[in-house]
Amino acid sequence: MLIRSGVPFPEMLYLRHPGRFNIHNGGIPAICLMTLPALAPPGDALFDELEAEIQHWPSRPVAQHYLALFEWLSIRLDRRVVVERSGYSLRFIPMMWKVFPHARFVHLYREGPDCALSMSQHSGLRVAALLQEISEHVGIPDQECLNLSPDDPRVPDDLRPVLKGQLSRDLVVDYPIPLARFGLLWSKAISEGIKHLSNVPENQRITMQYENLVDNSDNELTRLADIVGVKPLPQWLQKAREMLDPHRRGKAALLDTDDLKALADSCSSGMQALAL
């Protein structure tokens, strides 16, 4: 829906260098949108190899399929360690830990107001904010909104297209969503996620703050390498250091006083959860 609306995620790398798949002719395989383009040159060659391989796999639990996929990719791409990164995914920790009990978890977070401000510019999270607004009008949890009928009289007229799957650039980009709503989304995700993360054994998790990563990159990256299970090679530290952009921090401080206060207030419960 977001691709059709003209405002896809920037993480959807396949759209920058598309292969033979498109939304008008059968759709784009999910694994092609972000995962495979981050691992291999543009095109469908790696997907085609993977498709040929998977056709011969037996029926088995989904966790075993994922582990087999990771192993195949590691061998094919000459890698030793698999790191899967998903933003806005703290709510999945209980499921991921149950399915992958030996996994190690890295929680990388950012100052609440800065993160919420960034979220407000992400098309997928703007749709999440629209669903939250619908949930407040209707009085049900936002995760249940997609089960609502678009014709439900409690749904605001201008938000019915969200439930119909008829997103437009005007609705996704230009609909007036208060910044504080993104602060509430951030706080909810952090507060719930911290509780989930606390149930994971200490030796299987670390927490990293983006601001510390910028200020003391070698130390934080060494911590990351340790839990991942690799050596913090000097050339890797140097390359990672060069990728960090210190100018991305503190953007919320540029807001006017009232907007900044409203945003900070909406982030307060999440910031308190992080301080525990």
Side-chain angles (χ1 to χ4, degrees):
M1 290 186 292
L2 286 167
I3 294 172
R4 290 191 182 97
S5 72
V7 283
F9 302 162
E11 299 95 321
M12 293 179 175
L13 302 176
Y14 191 83
L15 302 180
R16 302 181 194 176
H17 303 282
R20 68 178 181 275
F21 300 110
N22 60 75
I23 60 172
H24 306 292
N25 185 23
I28 303 170
I31 197 171
C32 287
L33 274 174
M34 293 181 280
T35 305
L36 296 186
L39 297 173
D44 301 319
L46 185 58
F47 176 84
D48 292 340
E49 289 184 49
L50 188 58
E51 182 182 31
E53 168 70 19
I54 288 178
Q55 287 181 359
H56 303 293
W57 286 4
S59 296
R60 53 188 166 185
V62 66
Q64 293 180 27
H65 275 296
Y66 269 109
L67 292 173
L69 170 65
F70 298 156
E71 181 180 13
W72 186 90
L73 287 171
S74 295
I75 294 171
R76 170 62 179 78
L77 300 171
D78 193 25
R79 312 290 175 87
R80 294 191 300 110
V81 175
V82 175
V83 178
E84 191 278 338
R85 180 265 176 193
S86 290
Y88 203 58
S89 59
L90 285 168
R91 64 190 183 278
F92 298 127
I93 288 176
M95 178 269 291
M96 289 191 290
W97 185 36
K98 179 180 179 181
V99 175
F100 305 109
H102 302 295
R104 284 157 283 179
F105 294 84
V106 179
H107 177 210
L108 175 62
Y109 72 91
R110 194 176 173 188
E111 284 285 328
D114 276 355
C115 190
L117 181 60
S118 178
M119 291 167 65
S120 73
Q121 300 162 15
H122 189 281
S123 57
L125 294 171
R126 288 187 65 83
V127 173
L130 295 175
L131 287 171
Q132 187 185 63
E133 183 159 334
I134 293 173
S135 76
E136 291 178 3
H137 277 279
V138 177
I140 62 174
D142 49 3
Q143 62 266 29
E144 297 179 14
C145 280
L146 292 177
N147 297 324
L148 277 173
S149 167
D151 299 321
D152 191 305
R154 298 170 295 175
V155 178
D157 289 341
D158 53 353
L159 293 178
R160 294 186 192 280
V162 177
L163 300 180
K164 293 179 179 179
Q166 298 173 348
L167 299 179
S168 66
R169 185 177 182 85
D170 288 344
L171 181 59
V172 175
V173 176
D174 298 328
Y175 190 89
I177 307 174
L179 283 176
R181 184 171 295 284
F182 294 96
L184 293 174
L185 280 174
W186 178 84
S187 284
K188 180 181 178 183
I190 291 293
S191 298
E192 293 178 352
I194 291 296
K195 293 177 182 177
H196 296 324
L197 199 61
S198 67
N199 293 321
V200 177
E202 289 189 18
N203 64 343
Q204 289 181 239
R205 57 180 165 90
I206 64 168
T207 296
M208 300 174 62
Q209 184 176 357
Y210 172 76
E211 289 75 14
N212 291 340
L213 180 60
V214 171
D215 292 340
N216 195 359
S217 59
D218 283 7
N219 181 70
E220 293 300 294
L221 290 167
T222 298
R223 292 178 60 226
L224 175 62
D226 183 59
I227 196 166
V228 169
V230 298
K231 293 181 179 180
L233 300 176
Q235 60 267 36
W236 176 71
L237 291 174
Q238 175 66 28
K239 184 176 181 179
R241 193 185 308 122
E242 293 171 353
M243 294 173 67
L244 293 169
D245 182 1
H247 301 293
R248 294 175 64 87
R249 64 186 301 179
K251 291 292 184 68
L254 301 177
L255 296 170
D256 66 52
T257 303
D258 290 342
D259 286 343
L260 179 57
K261 183 181 185 307
L263 184 57
D265 288 347
S266 67
C267 292
S268 60
S269 62
M271 294 297 291
Q272 290 171 10
L274 287 168
L276 294 179

